[in-house]
Amino acid sequence: PMHEPRDLIDAMRQVNTAARIAELDGEDFTSEIQQLQALADRLDALAVDDIRMQASLWPDDLAERMAENLTAGPKGRINRALEVGIAGFFPYSPYVGTLNPIAPPIDFATVVVDDRAEVHATHTFETIMNGPPGGVHGGVVAGVFDELLGCTCVVNDVSGFTGTLSIRYASLTPLGVPITMRGWVDRVEGRKTFANGTFHHGETLCATAEGIFIGPRTAT
């Protein structure tokens, strides 16, 4: 059967996870190294140069479709994000990108709540993300929050660069069990968007985040 690029990336994730190995005397990885180097050479010839997180493998088509959406009105970007989904809009994201081999990836979903859109996800972190014993690395938690709140801004059409991100680690974010994530926009003040997020394991609060995202000076 014909396999898609995402199938290749999924296989690479399996290698990444399996390669968390002990240092054992007497093990010879010459064959594995040669195979991986050959694969790297093969893929390097296919790599997309200077790609952005939100670009796709078909940049001309993406640019054309986004141009059509943008000329249709100010909601063009959000319409595109909702059309293809967050992972489709950010295929090379290090956290949700289905075409990025270092992404878990986390399946962010847009959920309409009242008059705004929220981003929800449930994800089980594997040991490759280990920090404290039995827990997800705190830097990974912060990175996922940055992505969660940033994507929440995108689907509300108030996106900008991260200005500040404050994390409160209420308890350990455990590995190997489902972690429920939620991100929402609290308020918008001029160029500043204030977004909040939470991580839960069951009823236990693992962490909270507050972010301020700064929009361009041309924003109104």
Side-chain angles (χ1 to χ4, degrees):
M2 188 74 173
H3 292 288
E4 300 291 333
R6 286 172 176 80
D7 298 324
L8 172 67
I9 301 303
D10 284 341
M12 293 177 68
R13 289 193 187 98
Q14 294 178 37
V15 173
N16 289 343
T17 301
R20 191 173 180 268
I21 58 178
E23 294 189 65
L24 302 175
D25 293 335
E27 290 288 343
D28 184 1
F29 295 105
T30 301
S31 175
E32 288 80 1
I33 292 170
Q34 291 175 343
Q35 291 178 60
L36 289 172
Q37 288 178 335
L39 175 61
D41 291 341
R42 152 87 166 132
L43 296 181
D44 186 60
L46 303 174
V48 182
D49 294 331
D50 192 29
I51 204 70
R52 293 187 176 191
M53 185 173 75
Q54 68 268 31
S56 78
L57 284 176
W58 304 274
D60 294 337
D61 176 65
L62 178 66
E64 180 180 341
R65 297 189 67 179
M66 287 191 71
E68 292 175 355
N69 282 336
L70 290 173
T71 56
K75 296 297 183 183
R77 191 164 182 258
I78 182 176
N79 289 344
R80 174 63 181 170
L82 294 176
E83 174 192 353
V84 299
I86 292 175
F89 197 69
F90 295 118
Y92 297 103
S93 158
Y95 295 103
V96 303
T98 54
L99 292 176
N100 189 332
I102 72 167
I106 304 168
D107 186 14
F108 282 0
T110 303
V111 178
V112 177
V113 178
D114 297 327
D115 61 340
R116 290 188 185 270
E118 296 187 358
V119 175
H120 295 183
T122 300
H123 182 76
T124 300
F125 290 96
E126 299 184 16
T127 53
I128 196 171
M129 300 297 186
N130 189 201
V136 180
H137 193 290
V140 173
V141 171
V144 174
F145 265 131
D146 190 29
E147 190 78 322
L148 176 67
L149 301 189
C151 289
T152 301
C153 289
V154 168
V155 298
N156 282 283
D157 204 34
V158 289
S159 58
F161 293 105
T162 308
T164 62
L165 182 65
S166 301
I167 312 293
R168 184 175 74 87
Y169 298 90
S171 63
L172 192 75
T173 299
L175 295 163
V177 296
I179 304 299
T180 302
M181 309 170 190
R182 175 188 170 222
W184 69 95
V185 170
D186 180 63
R187 66 190 187 279
V188 178
E189 297 178 0
R191 293 170 54 210
K192 295 182 178 181
T193 298
F194 296 79
N196 295 339
T198 57
F199 279 17
H200 282 86
H201 166 47
E203 298 298 320
T204 302
L205 177 65
C206 300
T208 64
E210 296 180 355
I212 301 176
F213 293 80
I214 312 298
R217 293 185 181 278
T218 55
T220 57

